[in-house]
Amino acid sequence: MARRLWSPRKDETGGEQASARLRGKPLVLVAVLLLAVVVAAAYWLVLRPSDEALADPEPPEDGDVVEVAELTANVAGEELRYARLSFAAVLEEGAGANDVSERFPILKDAALSELTTMTPHELRSAEGLDALRERLTRRADETYPDGEVLRILVTELVVQ
């Protein structure tokens, strides 16, 4: 008589439990793997963004430079000091002075607000001048949300 090396367990109903468990698993595993391959291929061929879409958009070209205002204001600090500021707006290519000039009073008001918060020492330093430019450019971005004004240039600054 030949002896079996492996014998499946019998459950209460008399069926072979091990063969019942293994019978459907390879088919499910193959189906899941096939589905994963199909999804990956669909993404790669159809849904994946193109290299052009992933690339950074080109920054807008500089257009005209338009003088905005010249103003004089008292600056922050214990001593009575003042500063005279002239600044200009760099427009986006294709935008004209007529497109943006109606909101120049808003930029002038913003410049006064920013200028009066800075001390003479800050305004005389390169870092302070850069900070003033950045603040004015941020205010221009708020005033022109469509991007007509790219940045603000400080064309003159006298502190006394």
Side-chain angles (χ1 to χ4, degrees), residues 55-148:
D56 290 334
E58 290 186 31
E61 293 288 324
D62 289 355
D64 294 338
V65 177
V66 180
E67 282 290 328
V68 177
E70 179 179 312
L71 53 99
T72 304
N74 291 328
V75 293
E78 293 181 21
E79 297 179 26
L80 184 58
R81 298 284 179 114
Y82 70 92
R84 185 176 71 224
L85 171 71
S86 296
F87 64 102
V90 178
L91 305 182
E92 182 180 30
E93 182 70 33
N98 294 336
D99 300 332
V100 295
S101 62
E102 64 188 28
R103 293 192 208 153
F104 280 175
I106 297 170
L107 285 182
K108 187 174 179 180
D109 178 63
L112 279 170
S113 296
E114 296 296 340
L115 191 61
T116 58
T117 63
M118 300 182 79
T119 65
H121 178 72
E122 289 174 321
L123 290 169
R124 287 185 182 128
S125 70
E127 295 84 14
L129 185 58
D130 288 341
L132 180 61
R133 268 191 217 100
E134 288 175 21
R135 290 178 186 179
L136 293 177
T137 298
R138 188 173 351 103
R139 290 302 224 19
D141 289 342
E142 294 169 3
T143 305
Y144 299 95
D146 294 333
E148 300 97 325

